[in-house]
Amino acid sequence: MVIACRWAKFRVAGAALLAVALTACATAPVQEMSDARQAIAAARQAGAAQQAPAELAVATRYLQTAERALQRHDFGQARESAQKARQAATGALDMSRRFDADEKKKTAVPTSGSI
Protein backbone atom coordinates (compact mmCIF):
# COMPACT_ATOMS: atom_id res chain seq x y z
CA MET A 1 0.00 0.00 0.00
CA VAL A 2 2.84 2.40 0.84
CA ILE A 3 4.64 1.62 -2.43
CA ALA A 4 1.46 2.13 -4.47
CA CYS A 5 0.95 5.49 -2.78
CA ARG A 6 4.48 6.62 -3.68
CA TRP A 7 4.01 5.67 -7.32
CA ALA A 8 0.72 7.52 -7.39
CA LYS A 9 2.50 10.69 -6.25
CA PHE A 10 5.05 10.32 -9.07
CA ARG A 11 2.28 9.78 -11.62
CA VAL A 12 0.46 12.88 -10.44
CA ALA A 13 3.67 14.94 -10.49
CA GLY A 14 4.56 13.61 -13.93
CA ALA A 15 1.10 14.40 -15.27
CA ALA A 16 1.28 17.92 -13.86
CA LEU A 17 4.70 18.48 -15.44
CA LEU A 18 3.44 17.19 -18.79
CA ALA A 19 0.41 19.50 -18.60
CA VAL A 20 2.66 22.51 -17.97
CA ALA A 21 4.91 21.57 -20.89
CA LEU A 22 1.99 21.09 -23.25
CA THR A 23 0.40 24.37 -22.17
CA ALA A 24 3.63 26.24 -22.98
CA CYS A 25 3.58 24.83 -26.50
CA ALA A 26 -0.17 25.26 -26.90
CA THR A 27 -0.25 29.03 -26.48
CA ALA A 28 0.41 31.40 -29.35
CA PRO A 29 3.93 32.88 -29.25
CA VAL A 30 2.71 36.48 -29.19
CA GLN A 31 5.79 37.91 -27.48
CA GLU A 32 8.24 36.00 -29.66
CA MET A 33 6.48 37.17 -32.84
CA SER A 34 6.52 40.76 -31.62
CA ASP A 35 10.19 40.55 -30.67
CA ALA A 36 11.08 39.18 -34.11
CA ARG A 37 9.13 41.90 -35.93
CA GLN A 38 10.71 44.64 -33.82
CA ALA A 39 14.22 43.25 -34.33
CA ILE A 40 13.70 43.13 -38.11
CA ALA A 41 12.34 46.68 -38.13
CA ALA A 42 15.34 47.90 -36.11
CA ALA A 43 17.75 46.15 -38.47
CA ARG A 44 16.06 47.72 -41.51
CA GLN A 45 16.14 51.14 -39.89
CA ALA A 46 19.86 50.72 -39.20
CA GLY A 47 20.53 50.02 -42.88
CA ALA A 48 20.76 46.24 -42.84
CA ALA A 49 19.10 46.07 -46.26
CA GLN A 50 22.30 47.62 -47.67
CA GLN A 51 24.96 46.49 -45.20
CA ALA A 52 23.72 43.01 -44.22
CA PRO A 53 21.18 41.97 -46.88
CA ALA A 54 21.77 38.22 -46.59
CA GLU A 55 21.31 38.22 -42.81
CA LEU A 56 18.20 40.38 -43.08
CA ALA A 57 16.78 38.02 -45.72
CA VAL A 58 17.35 35.05 -43.40
CA ALA A 59 15.53 36.86 -40.59
CA THR A 60 12.64 37.71 -42.90
CA ARG A 61 12.34 34.11 -44.11
CA TYR A 62 12.27 32.83 -40.52
CA LEU A 63 9.55 35.34 -39.68
CA GLN A 64 7.51 34.24 -42.70
CA THR A 65 7.92 30.62 -41.59
CA ALA A 66 6.76 31.60 -38.11
CA GLU A 67 3.72 33.40 -39.52
CA ARG A 68 2.72 30.37 -41.62
CA ALA A 69 3.15 28.07 -38.61
CA LEU A 70 1.04 30.45 -36.52
CA GLN A 71 -1.74 30.29 -39.12
CA ARG A 72 -1.64 26.47 -38.88
CA HIS A 73 -1.76 26.74 -35.08
CA ASP A 74 1.63 25.02 -34.92
CA PHE A 75 2.70 27.19 -32.01
CA GLY A 76 5.86 25.26 -31.22
CA GLN A 77 7.20 25.75 -34.75
CA ALA A 78 6.02 29.37 -34.78
CA ARG A 79 7.85 30.08 -31.51
CA GLU A 80 11.06 28.43 -32.70
CA SER A 81 11.04 30.24 -36.06
CA ALA A 82 10.24 33.59 -34.43
CA GLN A 83 13.17 33.16 -32.06
CA LYS A 84 15.47 32.34 -34.99
CA ALA A 85 14.13 35.39 -36.86
CA ARG A 86 14.95 37.63 -33.90
CA GLN A 87 18.45 36.17 -33.62
CA ALA A 88 19.12 36.62 -37.33
CA ALA A 89 17.77 40.18 -37.26
CA THR A 90 19.94 40.99 -34.26
CA GLY A 91 22.94 39.70 -36.20
CA ALA A 92 22.01 41.89 -39.18
CA LEU A 93 21.61 44.88 -36.87
CA ASP A 94 25.03 44.25 -35.30
CA MET A 95 26.64 44.00 -38.75
CA SER A 96 25.01 47.27 -39.81
CA ARG A 97 26.24 49.03 -36.72
CA ARG A 98 29.77 47.73 -37.21
CA PHE A 99 29.67 48.82 -40.85
CA ASP A 100 28.51 52.31 -39.82
CA ALA A 101 31.24 52.54 -37.18
CA ASP A 102 33.88 51.49 -39.71
CA GLU A 103 32.60 54.06 -42.23
CA LYS A 104 32.74 56.80 -39.61
CA LYS A 105 36.35 55.90 -38.83
CA LYS A 106 37.26 56.09 -42.52
CA THR A 107 35.69 59.50 -43.02
CA ALA A 108 36.81 61.03 -39.73
CA VAL A 109 38.78 64.21 -40.13
CA PRO A 110 42.05 64.12 -38.20
CA THR A 111 42.30 66.67 -35.44
CA SER A 112 45.25 69.02 -35.21
CA GLY A 113 46.66 67.07 -32.27
CA SER A 114 46.88 63.82 -34.22
CA ILE A 115 48.95 65.11 -37.15
Side-chain angles (χ1 to χ4, degrees):
M1 182 68 169
V2 172
I3 293 174
C5 215
R6 286 184 185 164
W7 282 111
K9 289 178 185 177
F10 285 120
R11 277 188 253 146
V12 170
L17 186 59
L18 181 62
V20 168
L22 290 175
T23 301
C25 291
T27 59
V30 176
Q31 187 64 51
E32 290 87 347
M33 296 294 289
S34 176
D35 291 347
R37 288 184 186 107
Q38 289 176 15
I40 289 171
R44 282 192 178 121
Q45 187 175 9
Q50 292 78 32
Q51 288 113 10
E55 291 75 11
L56 185 59
V58 168
T60 302
R61 281 194 302 273
Y62 275 128
L63 181 60
Q64 291 168 347
T65 300
E67 289 169 342
R68 285 192 301 272
L70 192 60
Q71 290 172 350
R72 292 189 316 267
H73 297 276
D74 185 351
F75 298 143
Q77 177 64 48
R79 180 174 284 108
E80 181 180 330
S81 294
Q83 290 168 342
K84 288 179 179 180
R86 182 187 54 78
Q87 291 170 346
T90 300
L93 176 61
D94 290 344
M95 288 182 77
S96 294
R97 287 180 176 163
R98 282 194 303 272
F99 180 84
D100 287 343
D102 290 344
E103 287 300 307
K104 286 179 183 176
K105 286 179 186 176
K106 289 178 188 176
T107 60
V109 178
T111 60
S112 61
S114 64
I115 295 179

